Amino acid sequence: MRFMMIQFPKVYATAKPGWVPDLKSMEVMGKYNEELGKAGVLLALDGLTPPATMSARVSFKGGKSTVTDGPFPETKEVVGGFWIIQVESREEALEWASRIPASDDEMVVEVRRLFDVTDFDPEVQKEIQKRFGDAEKQ
Amino acid sequence: MRFMVIIKSTPEAEKEGAARDPQFLRDMGKYNEELIKAGVVLAMDGLHPSSKGARVKFSGKNRTVVDGPFTEAKELVAGFWIWKVKSLEEAIEWVKRGPNSGTGDYEVEIRQVFEMEDFAPMLSEEEIQYKIAKRAELPNQTANK
């Protein structure tokens, strides 16, 4: 099963435009990423720039859409990046998340299972394959 | 440039076994087909409700696992795409064309994805190329497409 480990870094709510992580934390996280890669569990990973750099929200309400430019000061928890891993169980996913080299109050990590085609009933599976066959294979 | 386009959850979607509005699902399917045809989509996935998830909190060497569900449904991730477009404006235009039947209110957040080049000059050219090559080996890495 696939899990997404989503990190919510504390600094992202107030980070200035153009913010980048410091070299030290990049090195530490780089080592962890290499471990995930070597274990063969890593499918994808990416980091996001903080909302102040370039972001927007679009709300759909009652058939109307409203665009708000970032940052979003009222939001305490902002997505900072993610890993997608393929593991045997939820426990294994939590084990990997627990090994993330984060220090006190640096971030919270949420571990969420991704939908796989096999989670849907056979009828829906066929429909998904027909429509998105190639996109789902990536 | 690449953007992560995050569909935020709603209290209804967070309910276990919640049946989604079939019209909304059909509209979303059509919309996804359009996005794929236009060559905008690099990846997309949906997340199970947070009731099946967990959060890990860090304190020194200690790790605390808190099981879901999490209450702030409005801030929870329900699904995402990674898009390749020319600008934030183009991403906004695509989002505005998303399903909007008037029944299911929802919010979408558009966030820029870091490229390795963004870390120059902190990382040397050699280190950047090394990281790009390592990422290229990953099965789902979206930067390769």
Side-chain angles (χ1 to χ4, degrees):
Chain A
M1 40 180 77
R2 295 178 306 142
F3 285 85
M4 187 172 207
M5 305 192 288
I6 310 168
Q7 53 156 298
F8 297 88
K10 298 272 151 81
V11 67
Y12 264 44
T14 53
K16 299 254 182 325
W19 178 95
V20 289
D22 60 49
L23 187 56
K24 182 85 178 64
S25 57
M26 279 199 77
E27 281 172 352
V28 172
M29 210 50 100
K31 267 190 202 150
Y32 172 73
N33 293 340
E34 295 229 357
E35 271 180 59
L36 285 170
K38 265 187 217 148
V41 297
L42 189 59
L43 297 178
L45 79 170
D46 264 309
L48 305 184
T49 65
T53 300
M54 192 188 282
S55 66
R57 280 182 176 178
V58 181
S59 321
F60 294 94
K61 201 168 185 184
K64 274 190 180 160
S65 63
T66 314
V67 180
T68 315
D69 288 326
F72 319 105
E74 75 290 355
T75 308
K76 277 172 277 164
E77 286 173 336
V78 179
V79 177
F82 67 89
W83 298 263
I84 296 177
I85 56 173
Q86 175 120 42
V87 290
E88 295 298 322
S89 65
R90 184 177 184 269
E91 289 64 39
E92 195 186 338
L94 287 173
E95 178 63 31
W96 277 110
S98 298
R99 288 169 65 179
I100 292 169
S103 57
D104 303 7
D105 279 338
E106 204 177 339
M107 65 174 74
V108 171
V109 172
E110 197 168 291
V111 180
R112 300 279 302 277
R113 192 165 160 221
L114 294 180
F115 277 111
D116 286 307
V117 177
T118 48
D119 290 330
F120 299 94
D121 26 303
E123 284 276 300
V124 182
Q125 285 189 33
K126 258 188 249 160
E127 185 68 15
I128 294 172
Q129 290 292 6
K130 204 171 75 193
R131 284 190 180 203
F132 306 114
D134 290 339
E136 286 292 323
K137 258 181 244 141
Q138 19 157 307
Chain B
M1 43 184 32
R2 290 185 301 144
F3 288 91
M4 184 178 192
V5 180
I6 304 169
I7 305 183
K8 298 300 190 69
S9 194
T10 58
E12 296 75 48
E14 275 295 300
K15 279 183 200 138
E16 192 62 41
R20 304 292 280 272
D21 173 11
Q23 185 59 46
F24 181 84
L25 289 180
R26 272 196 297 274
D27 290 350
M28 189 56 95
K30 263 188 225 153
Y31 176 60
N32 278 328
E33 282 188 67
E34 261 183 70
L35 285 166
I36 291 167
K37 251 184 233 156
V40 165
V41 179
L42 297 175
M44 60 179 191
D45 261 303
L47 280 65
H48 281 266
S50 75
S51 55
K52 290 188 183 167
R55 282 184 160 208
V56 179
K57 293 183 176 169
F58 303 86
S59 174
K61 286 206 157 87
N62 295 323
R63 303 289 187 257
T64 313
V65 175
V66 182
D67 286 328
F70 307 109
T71 47
E72 283 281 314
K74 205 165 89 36
E75 297 301 335
L76 289 170
V77 179
F80 72 94
W81 296 273
I82 306 279
W83 290 352
K84 188 172 190 160
V85 289
K86 296 234 159 28
S87 62
L88 177 63
E89 289 64 39
E90 192 185 338
I92 292 173
E93 280 316 307
W94 271 112
V95 170
K96 282 162 79 177
R97 289 168 61 181
N100 194 2
S101 61
T103 52
D105 296 346
Y106 67 110
E107 189 170 65
V108 174
E109 187 172 300
I110 307 169
R111 302 279 306 281
Q112 190 198 4
V113 177
F114 271 126
E115 303 299 345
M116 281 304 133
E117 289 78 4
D118 294 333
F119 303 118
M122 185 169 67
L123 298 180
S124 69
E125 182 55 30
E126 206 175 46
E127 286 168 314
I128 289 173
Q129 290 311 323
Y130 173 78
K131 283 179 186 286
I132 290 174
K134 281 304 246 188
R135 285 169 171 240
E137 292 170 10
L138 299 176
N140 278 48
Q141 193 56 33
T142 62
N144 311 332
K145 291 176 189 156

